[in-house]
Amino acid sequence: PNPFSTNLNFKNLQGDETMLLVNTLGQVIYNGKNIENQYFSHLHPGVYFLKINSEKTKTLQTIRLIKE
């Protein structure tokens, strides 16, 4: 999903993931599940960070994203 313009798409999600999207200032843009159903066209272009927490696999992953 990198870079993205309006929404995020993922492959191989388990379905239990909680997602936290933050900007470079640490401000929360989105917090919850089913981030694929959200539209982010209102966001300013720049760098964002997506933290993916999976209960099934007990993992926390952080992805750097670029909004066009």
Side-chain angles (χ1 to χ4, degrees):
N2 204 0
F4 72 101
S5 59
T6 57
N7 61 340
L8 300 171
N9 296 306
F10 294 94
K11 296 179 183 177
N12 302 325
L13 291 180
Q14 301 296 316
D16 71 321
E17 295 86 359
T18 301
M19 311 246 181
L20 179 70
L21 181 66
V22 298
N23 62 17
T24 55
L25 299 175
Q27 297 169 320
V28 175
I29 307 300
Y30 178 82
N31 185 9
K33 298 182 182 279
N34 302 319
I35 197 168
E36 303 87 10
N37 298 331
Q38 303 298 313
Y39 290 95
F40 298 107
S41 59
H42 65 283
L43 294 180
H44 294 289
V47 176
Y48 294 85
F49 296 95
L50 180 65
K51 296 181 181 184
I52 304 171
N53 186 12
S54 174
E55 292 297 322
K56 286 183 183 176
T57 61
K58 305 292 186 213
T59 58
L60 176 63
Q61 181 179 11
T62 302
I63 301 171
R64 180 177 173 260
L65 300 173
I66 298 173
K67 165 74 165 71
E68 293 183 324

